[in-house]
Amino acid sequence: MRKYSVFAVVREAMRGHKGWEAQWASPEPRKEYDAIIIGGGGHGLGAAYYLAKEHGITNVAVLEKGWIGGGNTGRNTTIIRSNYLYEESMHIYEHSLKLWENLSQDLNYNVMYSPRGVMMLSHNVHDQQSFKRHINANRLYGIDNEWLTPEQAKAYCPPLDISKTARYPINGAALQRRGGTARHDAVAWGYARAASDRGVHIIQNCEVTAIRRGPDGRVVGVETSKGFIGAKKIGVSAAGHTSVVMQTADVRVPLQSQPLQALVSEPLKPIFPCVVMSNSVHAYISQSDKGEFVIGAGTDQYNSYSQTGGMQIITHTLDAICELFPMFRRVKMMRQWGGIVDVTVDRSPIQGITPVPGLFINAGWGTGGFKATPGSAHLFAHLIAKGEPHKFAAGLTLDRFRTGRLIDEAAAAAVAH
Amino acid sequence: MLLIYCPYCEEERNELEFRNGGDAHIARPTNIADITDEEFEEYFFIRQNPKGLIYERWRHVHGCGKFFNAARDTVSDRFYLSYKAGEPKPDPATFLNNGNESALNKDKGASK
């Protein structure tokens, strides 16, 4: 792999950009691997990268049924934050945030991580009490999060309307300054390139149709659209399709797949300096470096694999945005899309062993998986390599739905889905 | 937005009038205090989450207020039929014909 640098840019500029090589190899699959990861999103590619980099396991394949960056990694609103309420969540999201801070250097790939601040608006007494509780919990854990008065919030984000006559008056805000955004598909590409460089096979257009188990119950490999591929360890990181894949190994999981939509506007000049979220009226918005407003809508109420969603879900969010920021009323929306998210009942992810020896699960990231990409991938690699969870992911087990140790982040999510 | 047929009102209304109630035909164990943790998990948390045919509950909250069940394809979001609560689960063979089948069901057979 040729390193990306300013010198490479100059060199290629001098010779007509003829020397850029493919970012990752596209090999034919081997008959057998030490480990297979099902799902070539950020989490799966990242896990393969950390398996190779930190655990020395390079005989690894990532199987992706579509193309790299075509799933939920390329279908989210790119928001990064770690201001969760419970310790289990704070462990993993803060671990992730710390990895985000150095990810571009680590991968030699500009993922455009931009710590521009994530501001969560408070509109009423309940919001205020809830956010202050989050802030206190975060600060006890060492995570930055601070309370802003309406005036301080406006100073940080000038487009805010803090007048008393606003439709949704603002009585303060919680701000995580290290929160922000990154370029989502660069994350997938960067991990793919770095993993491929360390010998990982990235196999696109290869759909896993079944997980095969031997007479002793252990996994032996997977049936795919490119034939059988053997592996002693299999990690499933298939987002909305996790239920479908796990069922082929006779593992039933507490997940529901629902469409979650996002949309972007036409590009405008820089006007919006940070990420703003409002739980009470369900709106979140940021401006990408290209100038587009990136807006997230909610999930539909029914299960679906359709990668689309109801128009009423979008208008609900846009109504709120137009009330919060009346100057955006005449902005045209350019693209809209849906991703299929796998949601657990406690709205916390599942990462851990399964009843099947050699089979590991990383799922249930629901509506907030992008921010967790590096942390989740790093811990998932640890799980696959060692066979047991890292202490940061110890609470995210699949059996918590039997033992009752749920992690009830449902009420603590940034916006209610 | 979905158009949903309410078998009580006997007409198609838009999704805003309805609330999805999750999987249909899940019976609450009559001996709920005696079942094991595994059985409770199975009853309370584990769901099929099928890619393809799903039987689900809907409630016509902004209409007659009644619960009913529906069979839908989760890939095309197409409804096959709605039927009243308490009626038995319809056999897929009775409605997966006459060009009613989705691409997925043609490829892989109705979801298990």
Side-chain angles (χ1 to χ4, degrees):
Chain A
M1 179 178 83
R2 280 209 200 99
K3 210 166 154 23
Y4 289 158
S5 66
V6 64
F7 304 109
V9 173
V10 171
R11 187 183 67 227
E12 292 305 324
M14 306 286 276
R15 56 180 192 185
H17 294 284
K18 293 205 174 85
W20 298 116
E21 54 190 11
Q23 296 196 18
W24 58 85
S26 298
E28 282 304 307
R30 288 187 196 125
K31 285 208 164 44
E32 183 155 16
Y33 291 92
D34 291 341
I36 281 177
I37 291 168
I38 301 173
H43 288 230
L45 293 165
Y49 168 68
Y50 292 117
L51 270 176
K53 182 187 172 212
E54 307 216 336
H55 303 282
I57 303 172
T58 57
N59 186 20
V60 175
V62 179
L63 307 182
E64 165 58 42
K65 76 171 172 147
W67 68 96
I68 299 302
N72 288 359
T73 304
R75 290 170 181 269
N76 56 72
T77 51
T78 79
I79 294 166
I80 295 166
R81 60 185 180 85
S82 64
N83 53 355
Y84 282 66
L85 180 61
Y86 291 109
E87 205 167 293
E88 291 89 345
S89 314
M90 285 192 278
H91 275 320
I92 196 157
Y93 290 107
E94 178 62 15
H95 180 56
S96 196
L97 187 51
K98 284 179 177 153
L99 289 171
W100 276 116
E101 287 170 342
N102 202 32
L103 194 60
S104 293
Q105 288 73 22
D106 186 28
L107 298 179
N108 178 232
Y109 205 102
N110 187 4
V111 299
M112 297 168 76
Y113 165 59
S114 160
R116 57 184 66 183
V118 170
M119 182 187 286
M120 295 162 78
L121 299 180
S122 160
H123 299 288
N124 50 46
V125 174
H126 175 80
D127 280 352
Q128 192 164 346
Q129 290 169 341
S130 163
F131 287 175
K132 285 188 173 171
R133 183 179 172 212
H134 278 66
I135 290 168
N136 289 332
N138 290 159
R139 293 175 79 129
L140 281 172
Y141 187 80
I143 294 174
D144 76 301
N145 198 355
E146 61 191 276
W147 178 255
L148 301 184
T149 63
E151 292 73 25
Q152 288 170 321
K154 185 159 177 72
Y156 195 80
C157 182
L160 279 184
D161 176 8
I162 57 167
S163 66
K164 296 274 185 251
T165 55
R167 173 72 181 81
Y168 303 120
I170 293 164
N171 68 1
L175 176 67
Q176 184 175 28
R177 291 178 191 270
R178 288 156 66 234
T181 59
R183 180 168 175 206
H184 48 12
D185 38 21
V187 177
W189 298 337
Y191 272 125
R193 175 171 170 266
S196 177
D197 181 50
R198 288 170 187 268
V200 171
H201 278 191
I202 293 161
I203 300 166
Q204 304 181 71
N205 300 310
C206 180
E207 181 173 6
V208 171
T209 51
I211 295 169
R212 289 277 173 251
R213 298 168 64 181
D216 58 349
R218 287 192 64 87
V219 295
V220 293
V222 291
E223 296 289 345
T224 74
S225 52
K226 298 192 178 196
F228 177 81
I229 305 174
K232 288 180 275 307
K233 289 181 174 182
I234 297 174
V236 177
S237 186
H241 281 74
T242 302
S243 299
V244 177
V245 174
M246 292 301 278
Q247 258 171 43
T248 67
D250 297 322
V251 179
R252 297 182 68 201
V253 286
L255 295 170
Q256 305 270 21
S257 296
Q258 295 168 338
L260 174 67
Q261 297 177 84
L263 58 163
V264 295
S265 74
E266 59 190 328
L268 298 175
K269 288 191 175 176
I271 185 170
F272 207 70
C274 61
V275 180
V276 170
M277 321 181 85
S278 167
N279 185 15
S280 290
V281 298
H282 198 296
Y284 48 108
I285 182 168
S286 63
Q287 190 174 20
S288 75
D289 292 330
K290 265 194 290 185
E292 302 157 334
F293 290 106
V294 184
I295 294 168
T299 51
D300 282 281
Q301 55 171 333
Y302 49 84
N303 286 18
S304 177
Y305 289 83
S306 63
Q307 289 196 327
T308 179
M311 190 65 192
Q312 79 278 14
I313 308 282
I314 292 177
T315 52
H316 175 66
T317 288
L318 292 180
D319 286 349
I321 298 238
C322 290
E323 288 293 350
L324 284 173
F325 306 105
M327 65 177 180
F328 294 159
R329 277 184 184 169
R330 294 172 66 188
V331 173
K332 293 184 182 72
M333 288 299 141
M334 196 165 64
R335 296 194 308 276
Q336 166 274 341
W337 63 92
I340 301 303
V341 296
D342 46 333
V343 180
T344 58
V345 285
D346 60 359
R347 296 299 190 272
S348 289
I350 298 168
Q351 190 183 87
I353 56 170
T354 68
V356 177
L359 183 64
F360 305 94
I361 184 172
N362 174 53
W365 292 93
T367 58
F370 176 73
K371 69 178 80 66
T373 302
S376 158
H378 190 248
L379 302 182
F380 195 37
H382 182 279
L383 173 70
I384 293 170
K386 310 273 184 199
E388 56 186 42
H390 188 278
K391 63 179 177 180
F392 284 171
L396 307 175
T397 57
L398 179 58
D399 69 4
R400 71 175 185 268
F401 302 92
R402 188 174 70 236
T403 61
R405 289 194 64 85
L406 301 185
I407 307 159
D408 184 21
E409 281 287 350
V415 293
H417 284 293
Chain B
M1 191 185 301
L2 304 179
L3 278 177
I4 303 172
Y5 182 82
C6 172
Y8 295 99
C9 303
E10 299 185 339
E11 59 181 316
E12 229 170 29
R13 309 290 297 173
N14 81 42
E15 186 195 333
L16 295 179
E17 295 188 10
F18 298 87
R19 187 86 74 247
N20 184 282
D23 287 21
H25 303 292
I26 291 173
R28 186 173 194 271
T30 49
N31 57 338
I32 195 90
D34 302 325
I35 62 175
T36 63
D37 288 351
E38 284 77 10
E39 287 165 333
F40 184 78
E41 180 194 26
E42 178 72 23
Y43 153 68
F44 203 69
F45 292 122
I46 304 290
R47 292 293 177 264
Q48 190 84 23
N49 194 19
K51 184 173 182 179
L53 178 63
I54 189 170
Y55 294 93
E56 61 190 358
R57 299 192 307 166
W58 286 89
R59 188 177 174 213
H60 197 179
V61 280
H62 302 298
C64 61
K66 289 179 181 161
F67 278 99
F68 61 92
N69 295 331
R72 182 173 57 90
D73 186 312
T74 59
V75 178
S76 64
D77 286 340
R78 173 177 184 166
F79 281 92
Y80 294 118
L81 74 164
S82 309
Y83 51 99
K84 292 176 183 170
E87 290 179 8
K89 193 175 186 172
D91 180 359
T94 60
F95 56 85
L96 290 181
N97 50 26
N98 303 328
N100 241 349
E101 285 177 84
S102 76
L104 180 94
N105 288 328
K106 269 182 195 147
D107 288 342
K108 296 184 182 170
S111 179
K112 283 163 260 173

